[in-house]
Amino acid sequence: MEQTKCLIIGSGPAGYTAAIYASRANLQPIEYCGLQPGGQLTQTTEVENFPGYPEGVDGNQMMMDLRQQAERFGTDIRDGEIVEVDFSARPYRVKDDAGQELLCDTVIIATGASAKYLGLPDEQKYNGMGVSACATCDGFFYRKKTVAVVGGGDTACEDALYLSGLCKKVYMIVRKPFLRASKVMQQRVMERENIEILFEHNTLGLFGQDGVEGAHLVKRKGEADEQLVDIAIDGFFLAIGHKPNTDIFKQWLDTDEVGYLKKIDGTPRTKLPGVFVAGDCADPTYRQAISAAGTGCQAAIEAERFLLGQ
């Protein structure tokens, strides 16, 4: 059975940054890329808010740059995913999807989170061409344009408010006849002149030639006065939540009610010695590439200190 001083699970900005730091500290880390090598950023086209890229950078290119940097310092990067973990005793045991088992002195979990989608074929069709699950990442591209935000919770209201500062008009597509958001968020959205809330509307699909040009909606679906509505939009933003990719760890580590892994005192440490978390799997709040990279750095430094103290 193979043994490693440091296993990194996941390959977004958090995983790759952890790998850069861990390999430079001579921990000879092994990193598993998971089902989506490069993480959520590979779903976006242009990244403009990561420091050091004054002209912006393609999300896939940026992840390749980070990967090459990790490999340069000796990280053993592997395709495939970790499907099983046994954290009952150190060294910790894990198993990958090929059946290979490893013993690990430390583990850095950087498995990220996945945005929830409505499940419409058009969401895939227009991915990166008008469909986005991150208003703070992509809103800038829709300055003075018209966009729609799907959702009725705090995240949807936050996204709509953020976009209303950039866009000509923002529609909120809300399934229910009310908003689920906190009272203060509801009030802010209602008071903003360029936000229009479409209550009791569901999205049926999107349309457009070389990108999103509009959405097909249904109002009061299934009721006697059901009505089909089309709106003209340039961007379609999903704000119906994220699901952290943490299911295999729930038996061993504490999570919140959604599934985000809990940190101890704001550090990357968990309740298990030698197990650290980084990136979006433990961050329901910021969910940015730069903040994920920062926690990847922290987790690797913590892993190095932990091993030195053993």
Side-chain angles (χ1 to χ4, degrees), residues 118 130-135 139 142 145-151 156-157 159-161 163-164 167-174 194-198 201-203 205-206 212-217 230-240:
L118 297 171
V131 171
S132 170
C134 183
Y142 297 92
K145 294 185 175 179
T146 300
V147 298
V149 174
V150 182
C157 288
D159 286 1
L161 287 164
L163 291 165
S164 72
C167 303
K168 184 173 68 182
K169 174 160 186 147
V170 179
Y171 290 104
M172 284 187 75
I173 303 169
V174 185
N194 61 339
I195 295 178
E196 182 181 339
I197 305 173
L198 304 173
H201 281 68
N202 281 290
T203 309
L206 303 167
V212 172
E213 291 172 17
H216 299 300
L217 310 178
D230 281 1
I231 55 171
I233 52 171
D234 305 290
F236 185 77
F237 287 87
L238 291 132
I240 51 177

Side-chain angles (χ1 to χ4, degrees), residues 117-125 203-206 216 236:
Y117 285 82
L118 297 171
L120 304 170
D122 288 343
E123 288 170 320
Q124 294 297 317
K125 180 181 172 183
T203 309
L204 296 175
L206 303 167
H216 299 300
F236 185 77

Side-chain angles (χ1 to χ4, degrees), residues 1-81:
M1 191 184 292
E2 201 174 2
Q3 185 144 8
T4 178
K5 283 190 261 190
C6 179
L7 174 74
I8 299 165
I9 309 174
S11 62
Y16 283 142
T17 304
I20 290 164
Y21 274 79
S23 49
R24 289 184 79 251
N26 203 26
L27 302 188
Q28 296 150 334
I30 294 172
E31 179 177 19
Y32 273 80
C33 284
L35 287 177
Q36 192 180 23
Q40 290 183 83
L41 275 192
T42 58
Q43 298 288 299
T44 66
T45 41
E46 194 84 356
V47 179
E48 289 192 330
N49 54 7
F50 199 93
Y53 291 100
E55 300 300 316
V57 61
D58 175 79
N60 283 289
Q61 183 60 50
M62 185 174 131
M63 288 299 101
M64 280 162 60
D65 290 348
L66 288 179
R67 180 181 176 130
Q68 283 171 2
Q69 199 171 348
E71 286 177 324
R72 180 186 152 208
F73 296 116
T75 304
D76 178 351
I77 298 180
R78 301 180 181 182
D79 291 325
E81 62 172 334

Side-chain angles (χ1 to χ4, degrees), residues 129-300:
M129 297 164 59
V131 171
S132 170
C134 183
T136 37
C137 315
D138 299 329
F140 189 73
F141 301 115
Y142 297 92
R143 280 166 304 166
K144 299 189 170 61
K145 294 185 175 179
T146 300
V147 298
V149 174
V150 182
D154 276 338
T155 305
C157 288
E158 275 172 33
D159 286 1
L161 287 164
Y162 174 78
L163 291 165
S164 72
L166 297 164
C167 303
K168 184 173 68 182
K169 174 160 186 147
V170 179
Y171 290 104
M172 284 187 75
I173 303 169
V174 185
R175 270 186 327 176
K176 299 197 159 92
F178 56 87
L179 292 171
R180 284 183 297 110
S182 59
K183 287 280 179 277
V184 62
M185 291 305 286
Q186 290 188 39
Q187 193 176 345
R188 282 183 196 157
V189 166
M190 302 279 193
E191 287 169 357
R192 194 62 63 92
E193 282 178 12
N194 61 339
I195 295 178
E196 182 181 339
I197 305 173
L198 304 173
F199 288 114
E200 295 185 89
H201 281 68
N202 281 290
T203 309
L204 296 175
L206 303 167
F207 59 89
Q209 283 297 110
D210 300 314
V212 172
E213 291 172 17
H216 299 300
L217 310 178
V218 58
K219 184 180 181 182
R220 290 180 56 77
K221 188 178 178 182
E223 302 297 322
D225 57 351
E226 177 181 298
Q227 189 184 344
L228 295 177
V229 181
D230 281 1
I231 55 171
I233 52 171
D234 305 290
F236 185 77
F237 287 87
L238 291 132
I240 51 177
H242 284 71
K243 183 187 186 303
N245 306 318
T246 56
D247 288 351
I248 63 167
F249 309 110
K250 283 181 180 172
Q251 181 187 348
W252 310 101
L253 297 172
D254 294 335
T255 67
D256 69 7
E257 62 280 359
V258 180
Y260 288 97
L261 295 169
K262 286 189 175 174
K263 305 173 176 186
I264 292 178
D265 301 331
T267 70
R269 295 195 292 273
T270 67
K271 69 177 185 182
L272 295 179
V275 178
F276 308 98
V277 293
D280 285 15
C281 65
D283 176 14
T285 311
Y286 301 106
R287 297 200 304 265
Q288 297 298 301
I290 189 68
S291 51
T295 57
C297 154
Q298 293 170 357

